[in-house]
Structure formats: C-alpha cells, structure tokens
Amino acid sequence: IANAENANIRFYDVPRMSSEYPQDDVEASWVESTSETMPNFSAIAYFFGKKLNEELDVPIGLIGSNWGGTPAEIWMPEEIFIENDSLTTAANMLKKEQWGPSEPGRAYNGMIHPLVPYTIAGVIWYQGETNTSNAAYYQNTFSTLIKSWREKWNQDFPFYFAQIAPYNYGDNFSGVEVRDAQRRSLSVPNTGMVVLGDLGEDDDIHPKNKVDVGLRFANLALSKHYKKGDILAESPLVDRVEVAGKNKVDVYFKNAADLHFGNRERGNAVFELAGDDMQFEKANKVKITAEKVIIKSSVENPKYIRYGWGNISIPNLYNKAELPASSFMMEIK
C-alpha cells in the first residue's frame, strides 16, 4: 500500500448496483492509484495493471466491476435468456443468495451496460464458485456471456479468465466440474485461462494470494495480446489421449515445455482411467517423457481418463514456467 502511488495507473470502480432495466449511467469517476485509493480496488486487477505498466511503460486504466458471491447469469443481458432454454434452465437452478442478486441480467443492467461502448483493451474475469449449483450448464452459460459482451461492444476483445481454485464445497465434484467447464470454454476464440490449482485454500473460498493471480493474468495478456513472445504464460492443457496398449494410454499436453512433477508437498492430483462402466481406477504407473505422459492402470481397454478430479485436488504436474496443469476429464477416442 505504501508503494501504491502511481499517476500512470488509474481506477474506475463501479459501485454495486442491481437493476431490473439496463442503465445508461453509473456513479463513479477515474482516480489515480494512491495509498488511499488502491486498498479499495480489486487486488488482482491492481497487480495485473501494475505489471502491465512496468512491462509496457504506458498508462493503464482499470475498470473494476465486480460483486463477490454472484453467478454468471446476472452478468449477461437478460434478453438472451428468452431464446435460450439451456440458459433459462440454468438460471432456475440458482439458489437465492443474501449477499447479491441471482436473477438474470441484474448486475449486467446496473454495472456493465452503462460501460458500453467505452473502448476497452480486454477483460479479466474471476468467477464461478457460485455456479457450482448448476455446474453442468456452466460452459454454455459462460461461453454465451463472453459472446454477448463482444456483441454489445461490437469488439472481439480478449477475454481472459481464472479457473477457480480448489475449495471444499461439501461434495465431491461440483467445483472441479466448474473448472472443467472453464477449460472447455477455451474453445471460444481469443480467450485464455490462468490455472490456480496450486493457490487454493480448502477452507477459504477467497484464497489470500492475489499477487500470483494478478501476475499470471498479466503474463497471459503480455504473451497473447501484447505479443511478448518470450513469456510462457499458459498452464499445461490436455491436448489428446491415445491408446498405447490394452491398459496403457499416452497423454499429450499443450504448453508442456519441461513437463515435470513439482516438488509440492500439497500436490495430490492423480490420473485415473475407466472403461465403459465409468468406474475410475487410479493409475498404477505414470511416466513423463519429453512430449507426453505415459499412464498404465489395471483398467483394460480404457475409454475415459481424468486428472485432478476432485474439488480439493491440487495439481502436481507443472511446466517450465512452474504453472500447474489443469484438471480434466475426457473420453478417449
């Protein structure tokens, strides 16, 4: 906080507002980063902007529009729910929350619509915990949200998002199902994902380490948007899986330079294989080569594979940049 004085970093903090109708105005103004203004702004966004300012040597403006504990459905235009049965079903599954709205469009109307069409370089997004109640629909919901914002702005800006960190939700898989939906949302063009599997806290849904999250977002933007080609900013992501024997598969990853098992005492993620019955068995042998991970198990003729499949599963597979691999589940074809 003492080092927050920087006239080349400015904040625009949108006040929390739920509205039944799209608003044109918002009561906020640009302020310089100071010891007084910075503590009230998003910590992740601040560390993101600070890194960009240092690396690019240009002024950075950060618009903060956020409301903790809210689902994605409230951040998208309400009219798109009318013609999308999947979105409507997902919205009907949401629980009423005491700390914020749960009705479609309410935060979008009050906190996003007034910003359109203000020119922005891109979006960083950290959300998903509140969608564990309808995780099966999250990929469609989140992908639709990204597309709806781009349509409103008439701009194909980059949209970078955080994969939610491990947390004990009181069940086995709702959190990791959201994480996998986020991984699959990378099919939307011009997106990127920072993996936070090594930064979570089982008993705190808001992990305290904001610095590394902000820096991972910044490195992602520097690499993908600002074309700083010397930065490895993306975590290992499963690319394809090939059957290599009746009980063996080869797993190929993207962003896999110097793929290795990290020296993380907390790392507990495992690879698992299953047949047609979807009864997963832990791999009994895992070997890393220069380009792939070789997995053997007791499952003959494996049809499905998963890694780190649990709400509080912490990755132990890393790349050269010490970024953790994303959890995943997929069919072996």
Side-chain angles (χ1 to χ4, degrees):
I1 292 174
N3 297 318
E5 307 286 335
N6 191 333
N8 284 321
I9 298 178
R10 312 235 172 168
F11 308 130
Y12 188 88
D13 204 3
V14 177
R16 292 179 179 178
M17 178 180 175
S18 175
S19 176
E20 294 184 29
Y21 307 100
Q23 301 297 301
D24 294 328
D25 304 305
V26 60
E27 293 294 327
S29 58
W30 285 102
V31 297
E32 293 182 9
S33 175
T34 68
S35 297
E36 289 72 37
T37 61
M38 184 270 269
N40 299 315
F41 197 72
S42 161
I44 290 172
Y46 169 74
F47 293 118
F48 167 79
K50 184 174 183 287
K51 177 72 170 179
L52 292 188
N53 176 244
E54 293 168 351
E55 295 293 329
L56 302 174
D57 194 27
V58 296
I60 300 294
L62 299 166
I63 299 174
S65 186
N66 43 70
W67 195 331
T70 55
E73 286 83 353
I74 76 168
W75 294 98
M76 46 208 302
E78 186 176 5
E79 67 264 19
I80 65 178
F81 286 79
I82 298 173
E83 299 177 354
N84 192 315
D85 292 339
S86 179
L87 287 180
T88 302
T89 299
N92 289 336
M93 296 173 67
L94 293 172
K95 302 173 184 177
K96 299 291 183 182
E97 304 290 359
Q98 61 182 9
W99 47 77
S102 58
E103 298 84 4
R106 296 303 170 86
Y108 173 85
N109 289 340
M111 301 174 65
I112 300 298
H113 190 268
L115 307 177
V116 181
Y118 196 94
T119 300
I120 57 176
V123 172
I124 59 172
W125 173 273
Y126 190 161
Q127 183 275 340
E129 294 89 347
T130 310
N131 282 99
T132 51
S133 62
N134 57 7
Y137 294 86
Y138 190 76
Q139 181 186 0
N140 175 67
T141 299
F142 185 45
S143 299
T144 304
L145 182 148
I146 296 171
K147 295 171 185 176
S148 71
W149 284 24
R150 288 173 172 171
E151 288 174 1
K152 291 292 185 180
W153 260 271
N154 193 27
Q155 180 186 352
D156 184 28
F157 45 70
F159 202 111
Y160 303 142
F161 52 92
Q163 187 184 58
I164 61 173
Y167 174 72
N168 185 0
Y169 290 93
D171 56 47
N172 292 326
F173 304 124
S174 62
V176 73
E177 287 171 353
V178 169
R179 294 204 297 271
D180 204 47
Q182 291 172 318
R183 178 187 65 85
R184 288 182 275 112
S185 296
L186 287 168
S187 61
V188 179
N190 200 13
T191 57
M193 182 177 75
V194 297
V195 176
L196 309 182
D198 57 332
L199 303 181
E201 300 170 30
D202 296 355
D203 58 351
D204 191 344
I205 202 167
H206 300 290
K208 296 177 179 62
N209 185 345
K210 312 298 185 186
V211 178
D212 285 331
V213 183
L215 293 179
R216 288 180 188 182
F217 266 128
N219 285 333
L220 193 61
L222 288 167
S223 173
K224 294 175 70 71
H225 184 65
Y226 296 104
K227 307 303 180 184
K228 298 285 186 177
D230 57 339
I231 300 174
L232 176 57
E234 296 180 86
S235 283
L237 293 170
V238 64
D239 186 25
R240 68 185 192 279
V241 181
E242 297 179 355
V243 175
K246 72 175 185 178
N247 64 348
K248 185 171 78 169
V249 298
D250 294 338
V251 186
Y252 294 84
F253 288 84
K254 301 175 184 177
N255 316 314
D258 188 24
L259 199 64
H260 64 279
F261 288 114
N263 295 319
R264 304 295 200 278
E265 294 181 359
R266 297 171 61 225
N268 59 8
V270 296
F271 285 94
E272 299 172 281
L273 295 175
D276 288 325
D277 59 2
M278 293 286 286
Q279 298 299 307
F280 283 90
E281 299 286 344
K282 179 182 175 181
N284 50 37
K285 187 174 182 180
V286 179
K287 179 183 178 181
I288 299 176
T289 70
E291 59 178 8
K292 62 188 178 184
V293 177
I294 303 170
I295 299 173
K296 292 183 179 179
S297 82
S298 59
V299 177
E300 295 187 4
N301 304 314
K303 299 294 184 183
Y304 299 92
I305 182 172
R306 65 189 188 187
Y307 167 74
W309 199 257
N311 288 343
I312 55 175
S313 181
I314 300 170
N316 49 17
L317 186 65
Y318 291 80
N319 64 13
K320 184 178 182 180
E322 291 300 319
L323 294 173
S326 168
S327 54
F328 69 88
M329 181 164 62
M330 63 190 298
E331 183 178 357
I332 303 171
K333 299 181 179 180

